[in-house]
Amino acid sequence: MSKTPYYNKTENAIEAGQSTGMKIEDVLKTYLVKPNNILAILRIFRKKPTSEIASALSITEDQLKHYETTDELIPFQLVPKIAKIFNVELKLLLQFLGHAIPSQPQQEQDELEEFALAAQYSGPDLTKQEKIDLNDLFKMIVENSKK
Amino acid sequence: MNFTTFKGGNREQCVTSIKKADMSTAKTFIQTWVPAHITYTLQYHQKYNYALFHWDKIINLSFVVGQKSRCYTAITDTRLDGLISLNTNNDYLKIDYIATAPWNYYTIAQIHGVGSGMIYHSIMESNYLGFSGIFRLTALPDAEPFYQNIGMEYTGNRDANGLKEFHMPSKKAEAFLADFKHNLV
């Protein structure tokens, strides 16, 4: 038997199974159950390794993986950095990750985006007091929107 | 079992290992294969025809007491590059499911050689079980050329999904083993 060229394009298609696999709609419905899952998808779409994203966000790789796979709310000050890295609209990302309530009036949503941008340029790390103040401010905005 | 695989256009050599799947494998599949599959499907549209199986269910089922199926992983560094689910009947080994990772499919293939390594492992398992290297599988259409290329033959049977069943004869399995041996590490 002549030497079989295993390392060719056909090898890339090796798949066998008792089904034809899931449709993309079923994959999304079954596995994309947490908003934070979008982070891994954005990262892969932009072909960025976890090390690079973690470094850009000043967090560890374990923390990044934790955010990508859990329900934990992504910290407010990280969201504009994420939007910038992946070149996605900040307002939509804030909303998708649960930082803005869809029923908020447009003015308050714009204010939220301004605060997020301010948080991005407030320095590499917010002090504990700054984080508490930002949270209080954020809560005020949310409470205002309920009135 | 360790074997040589090749990364990228420069064909930089790597080492890939076949290991038994454990309880963390299903989680790794969800965390890595699923987002990759979603991304590439949306990015490449209809050109990316990768079939994602319910590997988390397949793997978890293999841990149920009394189940005959067993799952193996192909690991390069710490990355899950391939998965196999094997079963047996009276006459041959059956590959219930086999796939390389979404990032090893189509023109974006990052690592070459993982699939052949998994086939080698399957033949060795068949030998160990006394089946003389014989195994069968039902192939997805895009994968048929690969199986024909390594010596498998269409049995004439199709499953309920219309997928063709392929059979690896003993002599062809033996030839594959001999050919692949130089890739072992």
Side-chain angles (χ1 to χ4, degrees):
Chain A
M1 181 176 157
S2 61
K3 185 165 178 61
T4 310
Y6 300 124
Y7 306 116
N8 57 25
K9 287 180 185 173
T10 59
E11 224 246 24
N12 298 349
I14 177 169
E15 281 199 291
Q18 296 170 8
S19 76
T20 51
M22 294 181 273
K23 291 192 177 126
I24 185 64
E25 299 82 23
D26 295 325
V27 175
L28 291 169
K29 193 176 156 186
T30 306
Y31 297 106
L32 199 66
V33 292
K34 302 183 178 72
N36 288 6
N37 290 151
I38 195 72
L39 295 183
I41 291 168
L42 286 173
R43 179 172 53 76
I44 295 165
F45 198 91
R46 297 287 183 214
K47 296 185 173 70
K48 306 271 187 186
T50 50
S51 55
E52 184 181 326
I53 303 302
S55 175
L57 295 175
S58 302
I59 59 176
T60 64
E61 281 187 63
D62 281 344
Q63 281 174 311
L64 176 62
K65 283 177 190 171
H66 177 74
Y67 287 136
E68 284 183 353
T69 54
T70 66
D71 285 325
E72 186 171 327
L73 191 66
I74 309 285
F76 187 67
Q77 67 267 29
L78 288 185
V79 182
K81 289 183 184 178
I82 294 169
K84 191 177 175 185
I85 290 165
F86 296 124
N87 195 25
V88 292
E89 197 179 318
L90 173 59
K91 197 178 289 187
L92 279 179
L93 190 61
L94 281 167
Q95 202 169 38
F96 192 80
L97 293 176
H99 279 287
I101 300 165
S103 60
Q104 276 181 319
Q106 188 57 42
Q107 187 187 349
E108 282 167 10
Q109 288 208 41
D110 290 341
E111 281 174 3
L112 192 66
E113 188 172 345
E114 281 174 22
F115 285 129
L117 289 168
Q120 180 185 3
Y121 295 109
S122 68
D125 288 305
L126 294 177
T127 63
K128 191 176 175 184
Q129 187 55 45
E130 283 169 336
K131 284 178 191 171
I132 293 168
D133 288 344
L134 198 60
N135 252 351
D136 282 342
L137 200 59
F138 186 61
K139 281 178 189 167
M140 277 170 54
I141 293 169
V142 173
E143 285 303 315
N144 265 330
S145 71
K146 291 178 184 170
K147 289 179 185 168
Chain B
M1 173 201 137
N2 300 324
F3 58 101
T4 305
T5 47
F6 300 87
K7 182 179 172 184
N10 294 334
R11 301 187 74 79
E12 174 193 332
Q13 286 191 10
C14 316
V15 175
T16 300
S17 305
I18 301 290
K19 297 178 183 175
K20 193 110 193 298
D22 60 29
M23 300 300 279
S24 69
T25 308
K27 191 175 168 187
T28 305
F29 159 75
I30 293 171
Q31 288 177 347
T32 59
W33 287 34
V34 172
H37 171 73
I38 292 171
T39 307
Y40 300 141
T41 302
L42 297 175
Q43 196 166 17
Y44 296 106
H45 304 291
Q46 291 171 351
K47 289 181 188 175
Y48 185 78
N49 197 28
Y50 184 86
L52 187 72
F53 302 127
H54 276 290
W55 280 108
D56 51 331
K57 292 184 183 171
I58 294 166
I59 292 161
N60 289 332
L61 185 64
S62 70
F63 292 123
V64 172
V65 173
Q67 281 293 323
K68 290 194 296 180
S69 66
R70 49 217 177 275
C71 291
Y72 295 89
T73 60
I75 305 279
T76 313
D77 293 329
T78 54
R79 189 179 57 225
L80 181 62
D81 271 322
L83 283 165
I84 333 166
S85 174
L86 300 175
N87 215 325
T88 49
N89 65 15
N90 292 332
D91 302 313
Y92 52 80
L93 181 79
K94 178 85 194 294
I95 296 181
D96 280 344
Y97 296 91
I98 183 170
T100 52
W103 50 81
N104 290 329
Y105 186 78
Y106 188 48
T107 57
I108 53 178
Q110 293 187 20
I111 298 277
H112 297 269
V114 175
S116 299
M118 294 196 288
I119 293 294
Y120 178 90
H121 171 84
S122 302
I123 295 172
M124 291 298 283
E125 180 112 344
S126 171
N127 276 336
Y128 177 75
L129 292 168
F131 296 133
S132 307
I134 294 169
F135 68 88
R136 289 193 182 186
L137 50 79
T138 42
L140 269 69
D142 280 355
E144 287 176 17
F146 172 78
Y147 298 118
Q148 286 168 331
N149 201 31
I150 63 172
M152 296 189 80
E153 297 163 355
Y154 173 38
T155 63
N157 298 329
R158 287 181 184 261
D159 71 0
N161 297 302
L163 299 176
K164 287 182 180 173
E165 184 187 49
F166 283 84
H167 169 89
M168 177 65 108
S170 181
K171 283 207 178 309
K172 295 283 175 72
E174 199 179 313
F176 184 99
L177 290 185
D179 225 11
F180 188 85
K181 266 200 172 101
H182 69 280
N183 296 307
L184 295 175
V185 175

